Amino acid sequence: MNLGIYIQVPFCQRKCTYCNFSTGVFERSLYAPYVQAVCRELSEHETLYRRAGLELPGTPNRAGVDTVYLGGGTPSLLDAAALCRIVDTVRQGFPCQLVEVTLEADPETVTREKVAGWRSAGINRISLGAQSFDDRELAAAGRIHRQQDILEALRHLRAAGFHNVSLDLIAGLAHQTRATWKESLARLVDLRPEHASIYLLEIDEGSRLGREALAGGLRYGAGALPNDDAQAAFYEHAQERLAQAGYEHYEISNWALPGLRSRHNSKYWRREPYLGFGAGAHSFNGRKRWANVRDPTLYIAAIAKGTFPGEQVLAVTPEQALEEELFLGLRQLEGIELARIEKKYHASLYRRVEGLRESGLVEFDGQRLRLMPSRLTVANEAFIRLLD
């Protein structure tokens, strides 16, 4: 089993109205000391973990690293040389056979010079945050880029030799209609990225848009949000359209051309170990989960002192591990092998599964339990009932 490395870059040019992540707009003067801190955490991780009583995955033989994911935030804001330094530090600090190195990028940050530097750094996969091909929807969401920037970014990436590009869309943006959604999907299919992620817009108190919508306000386009039924229809249209175009639907929010699934993100859904570095990054060694402090200035200060930057370490109980197996496993369209999980956790799940099957939420062939493809928009109902 190989290890995944996640690098968090919390910097943004502008905070999207729907964003509830631990990211923000910071002075560019913070970028260099932040990169230095991340590289030091990577180099000294064994010492830092030992002081915190944490074991490395694969100890004593140490698991090899085969995927790196640079996420955020907007890691493409960093200079290519800084990204190269981070990836090189991963190679120096871990036994590596890197097959997938992903960089999240916003379209307006993609330039001919940058993509050449990304290739030189060993980055071989780009996750492009398009979100929509409709300029009105992008403006309402607080995005800086417009449709033309997406097209220009793809041209630069293809010209530089990137043949593994993922493109994100969000269903449920303000002012989105059936017609604009169909157009965004059509543009995506015409561009034919190797991978596509379709996310349903989340409304919660963690974002400006969410707070406004929950309060019944109109700012940020809160009064022009599609309702739940419309979102479900958008998602179902995406299922149909992407299947017609030859994409495999392998996880609730993710589609890929054959052989091009996200290797790194698949580790999360399979509960494989991964280590996160940077402010707000999460880690899992198979027994414990921990997260670094979210404020980048506090993170930099902790690393400068040689102290573990984590703000919480939680041991995963057998009950929690079972819930994770079910929740994360069922996000995958291939489902889970029920007998294996029952044996591993000494659990009896058949009665709950049978109730879900009778409700039409899942299908069970006697071996594998899967969410019904036609009911993925109400997957949370199945999760709640299965875990109750």
Side-chain angles (χ1 to χ4, degrees):
M1 185 180 298
N2 289 310
L3 183 67
I5 297 291
Y6 177 81
I7 309 294
Q8 171 76 348
V9 180
F11 308 130
C12 296
Q13 294 183 99
R14 180 192 295 171
K15 188 87 167 179
C16 298
T17 62
Y18 56 78
C19 183
N20 59 3
F21 295 160
S22 56
T23 58
V25 179
F26 297 90
E27 294 292 334
R28 294 188 68 89
S29 59
L30 196 63
Y31 292 8
Y34 184 82
V35 170
Q36 181 176 350
V38 168
C39 290
R40 181 171 174 182
E41 186 189 9
L42 283 163
S43 298
E44 300 178 8
H45 69 277
E46 290 184 86
T47 300
L48 295 172
Y49 291 168
R50 186 166 54 250
R51 290 173 181 170
L54 296 170
E55 293 183 7
L56 276 168
T59 303
N61 297 321
R62 297 195 65 194
V65 172
D66 64 347
T67 68
V68 175
Y69 195 105
L70 297 122
T74 311
S76 56
L77 284 176
L78 297 180
D79 293 337
L83 295 171
C84 185
R85 180 184 174 191
I86 291 172
V87 176
D88 283 347
T89 307
V90 172
R91 290 194 179 97
Q92 295 163 9
F94 295 87
C96 288
Q97 288 188 321
L98 299 181
V99 295
E100 181 186 275
V101 182
T102 301
L103 173 72
E104 287 186 350
D106 280 357
E108 76 279 3
T109 67
V110 179
T111 65
R112 184 181 296 105
E113 295 73 24
K114 278 189 175 182
V115 296
W118 297 344
R119 290 282 290 171
S120 298
I123 294 165
N124 58 14
R125 182 175 184 271
I126 301 296
S127 179
L128 194 64
Q131 318 309 5
S132 172
F133 284 87
D134 185 271
D135 286 353
R136 186 184 187 195
E137 294 170 16
L138 291 168
R143 302 291 294 185
I144 294 176
H145 74 272
R146 297 295 179 261
Q147 177 184 155
Q148 189 58 40
D149 297 308
I150 303 171
L151 303 179
E152 187 75 8
L154 260 296
R155 282 196 289 269
H156 288 320
L157 292 170
R158 295 309 194 195
F162 280 97
H163 301 299
N164 195 354
V165 176
S166 181
L167 197 150
D168 296 355
L169 292 180
I170 297 178
L173 291 174
H175 305 294
Q176 197 169 72
T177 66
R178 180 174 177 80
T180 63
W181 177 249
K182 289 179 70 174
E183 177 62 21
S184 282
L185 272 175
R187 298 309 300 266
L188 183 149
V189 169
D190 287 345
L191 292 169
R192 203 159 178 79
E194 287 70 25
H195 188 280
S197 296
I198 308 292
Y199 299 108
L200 296 179
L201 183 70
E202 294 184 5
I203 298 297
D204 60 46
E205 294 181 351
S207 70
R208 289 177 292 157
L209 175 60
R211 288 190 295 271
E212 189 72 11
L214 292 171
L218 300 177
R219 291 185 302 168
Y220 317 122
L225 292 170
N227 60 30
D228 291 345
D229 289 342
Q231 281 198 42
F234 297 163
Y235 180 87
E236 289 163 1
H237 177 68
Q239 286 181 285
E240 178 183 348
R241 188 69 183 86
L242 291 171
Q244 292 171 350
Y247 288 86
E248 297 174 345
H249 192 184
Y250 71 100
E251 194 269 346
I252 285 180
S253 301
N254 290 280
W255 287 255
L257 293 177
L260 290 165
R261 299 179 180 186
S262 170
R263 292 173 180 252
H264 182 86
N265 289 339
S266 292
K267 295 179 187 294
Y268 302 148
W269 305 317
R270 294 194 296 255
R271 292 189 78 249
E272 295 177 6
Y274 56 90
L275 297 178
F277 298 87
H282 289 245
S283 300
F284 175 56
N285 66 2
R287 295 167 298 280
K288 293 181 179 180
R289 295 188 180 276
W290 62 93
N292 283 350
V293 62
R294 290 190 251 182
D295 186 319
T297 56
L298 296 179
Y299 166 79
I300 292 170
I303 295 297
K305 294 177 183 177
T307 59
F308 175 62
E311 61 179 358
Q312 55 179 318
V313 178
L314 301 173
V316 179
T317 67
E319 292 78 15
Q320 290 169 332
L322 171 60
E323 291 184 357
E324 290 177 3
E325 287 263 16
L326 295 172
F327 172 74
L328 295 173
L330 284 176
R331 288 192 62 90
Q332 302 170 78
L333 274 291
E334 295 170 351
I336 55 177
E337 187 180 353
L338 192 64
R340 178 190 68 81
I341 290 178
E342 288 186 319
K343 180 179 180 180
K344 181 177 179 180
Y345 294 98
H346 308 288
S348 179
L349 302 170
Y350 181 78
R351 183 175 299 175
R352 277 183 276 179
V353 166
E354 186 62 17
L356 291 174
R357 190 187 64 78
E358 291 175 353
S359 300
L361 291 170
V362 301
E363 56 184 7
F364 181 52
D365 61 8
Q367 293 184 327
R368 299 198 73 84
L369 177 69
R370 305 177 184 86
L371 291 174
M372 287 291 289
S374 61
R375 304 298 301 279
L376 295 181
T377 56
V378 292
N380 283 343
E381 180 183 344
F383 296 149
I384 291 170
R385 289 176 57 180
L386 187 59
L387 301 176
D388 188 7

